[in-house]
Amino acid sequence: MVARIIPAPVSVQERGGSFRLTENTRSKIEYRLDPKCGLPPEGYTLNVTRTRVKAVASTPAGLFYAKQTLRQLTDGDRIPCVSIKDYPRYSWRGFHVDPCRHFQSVEDLKAMIDVMAQYKINTMHWHLTDDQGWRIEIRKYPRLTSVGAWRTEWDGGVHGGFYTQDEVREVVAYAAERFITIVPEIEMPGHAVAAIRAYPELSCTEEPVGSFSTWGSPDIVLCPGKEKMFEFLDDVIAEVSALFPGEYIHIGGDECKKTRWQKCPACQARIKAEGLSATADATPEERLQSYAVKRMEGILAKYGKKLIGWDEILEGGLSPNATVMSWRGEKGGIAAAERGHQVIMTPSHDGMYLDHYQGDPKIEPETISGDNTLEKVYSYNPSIPVKGVQGNLWSEYIYSEAQRQYMFFPRAFAIAEIGWTLPENKDFTAFCTAVDRACEDLDARGINYHIPMPEQPGGSYNHVAFLDKAVLEFTTTRPMRMVYTLDGSEPTPESATYEGPLEFTSDATLRIACVTSYGKMGKARTIDIRKDTLRPAKILDGKPSIMLRTTYGFFLDWSEIPSGAFWTEPRPIDSFRDIPRQEPTHYNMMGLNFYAAEATGYIKVPEDGVYVLSTLFDQLWVDGEKLIDNGREVKKHSRQDAGIALRKGYHQVTVRFLSNVRGGWTTARNRGEILIRKADNT
Ligand code: ACM
Ligand code: ZN
């Protein structure tokens, strides 16, 4: 059998037999560049017989890709005899990285480039500027990096880094040797707080701004009313375009809040002077953004570059020659294509955002949101003809390089296949087999990747309660064997294989994990299964009150609250939902108030039974027992759900909440909820 190649080639014919690699036969491998061979750019043919190997392509990129295919075909000292004809579906096969939210070293980036080139990715979108950090040296504006590249985190740490121009040239050259073109992104007019911190005169109010270390889309944006803002961008583009030989520069354009423009005399004067009055489908401020993007197109043209931007650049009118990167679904891309523009599809919820969850959020590490399993990523197929596709890896919730790799691989292999392979040649089962081999390769390089965890279909949780028996069922996001132990020991490939639902009638500790076809263990889950008795309920007259008390301070853990802290007198509130909103907060980090809150009230249970409770509060106590402790987690999605047996009626609950910022997430943005559902596995 010929090894399944990623991305699957256009055609593969197996010939039987193999070519043996020895010192003597290495000279029988020929790479021939033939501009007249008739193959599309980047395409190649590869013929392996028992006596020779011959690759032909019309471009050096094509020969490079033939070599990558040959590498994947090679099994020890054998290359199976095949005849392959291959070329890409799309000319833009991209991946995106975000070193702004969490910095990525040159070395780590090169490791990613190395791997992606092997899978015939040809474009890297380098998101170099954002609110939380400016990552590229600009000689004319040294404060962009001396100030804008560093931020103070809420736990007191300093995070940052930037690429010198020499480093940028080094990465560009490194990628070019692997036929990857780098498209730099310089964000305007939103997502530019780092630049505004360095040069406040670029904003509408010109007010000084502190370092930005929470996520979101702040209303502090560049001021297109001011000529000096365009002069600044022109200067930046002058330096950037000299560093990147590719034809495109990405100008961002997404998520720009326009509230300040409404009040800014310069912006309003510009709107008046340029006649940007409201139209049926655009506000004056949207037209102002469109005006700014059009001026960017002119600036880029001066330096011989073409403009690409996120699909928001459609709002208020698209620049004449813009290429659109469609991220909010395909809608923007379709609208742009209808007007004759080039389109890159990166629809976030259709699988192209690799910062989204790839398994059950209840057990996976925190991410921004979403549900982009490997299978979902793989199944994406643009609904219209486009220039290309790209997988995007934003890094808000990526706190280490190992985590960045975990989010990226193996889904990046699916991106590579979507970009290259004809839909009729896609096959998820065959792809998964090839993914295993590709992941073994990652192991050899010391690169981390996602191995599924066994998941409970109704929502995974590790604290299972039952009355008579618990029946636990597990699934995986891609086909993989599951193994488990019941004695508390770490599962190994030799542990019992999960064959079907597991039944428990007494207390147990289940440890369960996936094991790959090549014997590597995924992360083991530890599930505590506990026989419970129905907790007695209280009978209450009328609506029970919820009493809240608070104390001020920035605490990352409940244990940090001093014993002598001053607490307010308990006061009644209407709903647990009100707790995070007890104190005034602001969407961006200025004006956030930090405090601890404790509230005691009741929840009503409709009938006797075992329930699973879920909360984003720091702690949840039920009938005097601590059921959930979210500890120091980034509390954006709950990951500590727990079961408990409750009688019909009212049960006393106490919640503890810390208004703080952890990992860039502001807990005041949590919905203050206690979610309760009937356990479906008992
Ligand atoms: C984006 O994800 N804001 C382009
Ligand atoms: Zn302004």
Side-chain angles (χ1 to χ4, degrees):
M1 258 297 279
V2 173
R4 167 61 153 76
I5 307 297
I6 298 176
V10 171
S11 81
V12 180
Q13 277 163 16
E14 300 185 35
R15 300 282 187 221
S18 62
F19 175 90
R20 191 156 160 255
L21 278 166
T22 65
E23 280 314 308
N24 293 335
T25 61
R26 284 183 194 276
S27 64
K28 304 276 195 317
I29 301 176
E30 183 194 355
Y31 289 97
R32 196 152 72 85
L33 190 62
D34 176 4
K36 296 204 183 66
C37 67
L39 285 162
E42 302 185 298
Y44 64 92
T45 56
L46 179 64
N47 280 289
V48 181
T49 66
R50 286 169 207 267
T51 53
R52 62 183 195 108
V53 174
K54 185 175 178 185
V56 179
S58 63
T59 64
L63 287 184
F64 178 80
Y65 294 141
K67 199 174 208 167
Q68 303 316 312
T69 296
L70 200 58
R71 191 190 59 83
Q72 287 190 52
L73 282 173
T74 306
D75 185 9
D77 66 350
R78 305 264 164 189
I79 305 172
C81 295
V82 281
S83 183
I84 291 178
K85 182 173 183 184
D86 202 11
Y87 51 84
R89 181 180 186 194
Y90 296 118
S91 64
W92 179 305
R93 305 178 301 280
F95 75 104
H96 151 288
V97 280
D98 166 18
C100 297
R101 275 55 178 265
H102 287 104
F103 188 62
Q104 185 180 31
S105 73
V106 165
E107 192 183 321
D108 290 332
L109 186 54
K110 282 181 176 175
M112 256 186 185
I113 290 171
D114 257 345
V115 177
M116 293 323 289
Q118 290 187 348
Y119 297 94
K120 307 186 176 88
I121 285 281
N122 68 356
T123 305
M124 184 183 106
H125 172 169
W126 208 2
H127 181 78
L128 286 166
T129 72
D130 213 307
D131 299 315
Q132 296 82 5
W134 182 283
R135 302 286 176 235
I136 179 170
E137 177 193 16
I138 301 295
R139 301 245 159 97
K140 188 156 182 186
Y141 297 92
R143 286 174 59 83
L144 286 172
T145 44
S146 66
V147 174
W150 307 97
R151 67 172 186 258
T152 305
E153 304 280 41
W154 287 97
D155 62 5
V158 172
H159 182 88
F162 65 93
Y163 308 107
T164 64
Q165 294 201 353
D166 282 344
E167 285 172 326
V168 169
R169 271 188 282 269
E170 179 187 330
V171 172
V172 167
Y174 191 86
E177 282 163 23
R178 290 155 182 79
F179 298 91
I180 288 180
T181 302
I182 300 186
V183 177
E185 180 179 353
I186 305 296
E187 270 260 19
M188 61 76 67
H191 284 302
V193 171
I196 292 167
R197 270 182 67 212
Y199 299 98
E201 61 271 27
L202 298 171
S203 73
C204 291
T205 63
E206 308 200 357
E207 283 163 350
V209 186
S211 85
F212 211 81
S213 42
T214 57
W215 320 129
S217 311
D219 60 2
I220 303 167
V221 301
L222 296 172
C223 175
K226 297 185 180 129
E227 241 357 77
K228 68 182 162 205
M229 189 279 278
F230 290 105
E231 284 160 23
F232 165 80
L233 288 169
D234 191 321
D235 291 339
V236 169
I237 296 301
E239 293 192 32
V240 169
S241 55
L243 292 168
F244 293 91
E247 59 180 331
Y248 281 101
I249 292 182
H250 200 302
I251 58 88
D254 61 315
E255 299 181 318
C256 177
K257 286 213 167 79
K258 299 174 181 71
T259 42
R260 295 203 175 192
W261 294 356
Q262 289 167 349
K263 287 181 251 151
C264 169
C267 285
Q268 291 306 316
R270 178 80 77 188
I271 285 170
K272 202 161 165 211
E274 298 292 332
L276 306 173
S277 50
T279 60
D281 49 6
T283 64
E285 287 72 27
E286 282 171 343
R287 294 193 65 199
L288 180 60
Q289 160 143 339
S290 167
Y291 163 85
V293 173
K294 284 187 184 121
R295 286 203 49 183
M296 284 306 283
E297 185 165 30
I299 291 170
L300 293 183
K302 220 167 76 180
Y303 300 102
K305 301 294 180 187
K306 289 192 202 158
L307 181 145
I308 180 164
W310 300 108
D311 58 63
E312 284 93 333
I313 66 172
L314 280 146
E315 291 159 11
L318 200 49
S319 314
N321 300 305
T323 295
V324 170
M325 191 166 264
S326 193
W327 73 281
R328 297 175 302 174
E330 286 195 333
K331 203 165 68 271
I334 292 169
E338 279 167 0
R339 291 177 222 172
H341 291 257
Q342 303 254 43
V343 172
I344 310 300
M345 286 296 190
T346 69
S348 54
H349 294 292
D350 295 331
M352 303 309 274
Y353 266 39
L354 305 183
D355 61 336
H356 286 198
Y357 282 106
Q358 54 194 321
D360 189 345
K362 294 289 179 190
I363 47 173
E364 286 289 334
E366 194 66 69
T367 84
I368 190 158
S369 64
D371 165 32
N372 286 342
T373 59
L374 180 69
E375 186 164 12
K376 184 169 166 192
V377 176
Y378 188 78
S379 67
Y380 177 63
N381 184 22
S383 67
I384 57 164
V386 289
K387 183 177 175 68
V389 294
Q390 181 175 293
N392 293 345
L393 185 61
W394 301 99
S395 72
E396 285 96 327
Y397 298 89
I398 290 177
Y399 303 105
S400 68
E401 192 58 23
Q403 183 64 14
R404 198 185 308 262
Q405 295 167 347
Y406 178 90
M407 296 305 283
F408 198 57
F409 297 112
R411 291 185 294 180
F413 299 138
I415 300 291
E417 184 140 326
I418 297 164
W420 183 280
T421 301
L422 299 173
E424 57 268 32
N425 288 337
K426 281 170 70 183
D427 173 342
F428 186 62
T429 307
F431 171 74
C432 283
T433 311
V435 161
D436 279 0
R437 272 177 25 119
C439 286
E440 271 192 277
D441 240 48
L442 295 178
D443 279 332
R445 293 166 176 270
I447 291 178
N448 193 28
Y449 55 90
H450 177 255
I451 296 175
M453 273 181 272
E455 300 181 352
Q456 287 142 282
S460 300
Y461 67 114
N462 293 331
H463 304 281
V464 174
F466 68 91
L467 289 168
D468 301 321
K469 67 175 181 188
V471 181
L472 299 190
E473 188 187 342
F474 294 94
T475 58
T476 56
T477 51
R478 62 183 163 109
M480 205 163 278
R481 185 163 74 96
M482 293 179 264
V483 289
Y484 66 94
T485 67
L486 294 170
D487 61 1
S489 67
E490 183 85 15
T492 69
E494 287 71 44
S495 300
T497 295
Y498 173 88
E499 309 276 7
L502 301 172
E503 198 174 298
F504 298 89
T505 52
S506 56
D507 288 6
T509 300
L510 171 66
R511 304 212 62 201
I512 185 161
C514 285
V515 54
T516 68
S517 61
Y518 46 95
K520 179 167 172 162
M521 296 300 304
K523 186 169 179 282
R525 289 183 60 194
T526 303
I527 303 175
D528 159 44
I529 300 153
R530 181 173 50 94
K531 188 169 170 63
D532 206 3
T533 48
L534 288 163
R535 315 297 167 100
K538 286 202 170 61
I539 311 294
L540 298 176
D541 291 333
K543 190 175 187 291
S545 61
I546 301 171
M547 299 301 284
L548 172 80
R549 61 179 195 141
T550 54
T551 187
Y552 289 94
F554 185 91
F555 310 110
L556 283 172
D557 192 85
W558 197 260
S559 63
E560 291 176 3
I561 303 171
S563 55
F566 173 80
W567 288 86
T568 60
E569 281 301 312
R571 59 187 189 273
I573 55 170
D574 286 341
S575 158
F576 288 106
R577 279 177 167 251
D578 292 340
I579 298 171
R581 289 186 287 271
Q582 276 309 300
E583 309 299 336
T585 60
H586 189 277
Y587 179 67
N588 66 47
M589 68 184 193
M590 277 74 68
L592 276 182
N593 279 333
F594 300 119
Y595 57 95
E598 186 175 62
T600 296
Y602 289 87
I603 50 169
K604 193 175 177 186
V605 169
E607 59 184 43
D608 290 3
V610 179
Y611 291 85
V612 180
L613 275 68
S614 175
T615 190
L616 285 169
F617 288 121
D618 291 73
Q619 294 179 12
L620 171 65
W621 298 62
V622 180
D623 294 330
E625 184 190 329
K626 184 159 77 173
L627 188 68
I628 294 178
D629 189 339
N630 284 314
R632 288 173 173 262
E633 296 212 358
V634 177
K635 284 172 269 293
K636 186 168 165 60
H637 301 101
S638 69
R639 298 168 76 252
Q640 303 293 335
D641 297 357
I644 187 168
L646 299 171
R647 279 224 182 274
K648 174 181 175 172
Y650 285 99
H651 293 265
Q652 192 184 56
V653 292
T654 295
V655 296
R656 289 173 163 180
F657 169 68
L658 297 171
S659 172
N660 62 21
V661 177
R662 180 148 189 89
W665 176 252
T666 308
T667 55
R669 289 169 66 183
N670 284 346
R671 276 206 306 262
E673 285 180 327
I674 303 167
L675 297 174
I676 177 163
R677 66 178 161 92
K678 201 84 188 277
D680 53 7
N681 50 16
T682 59

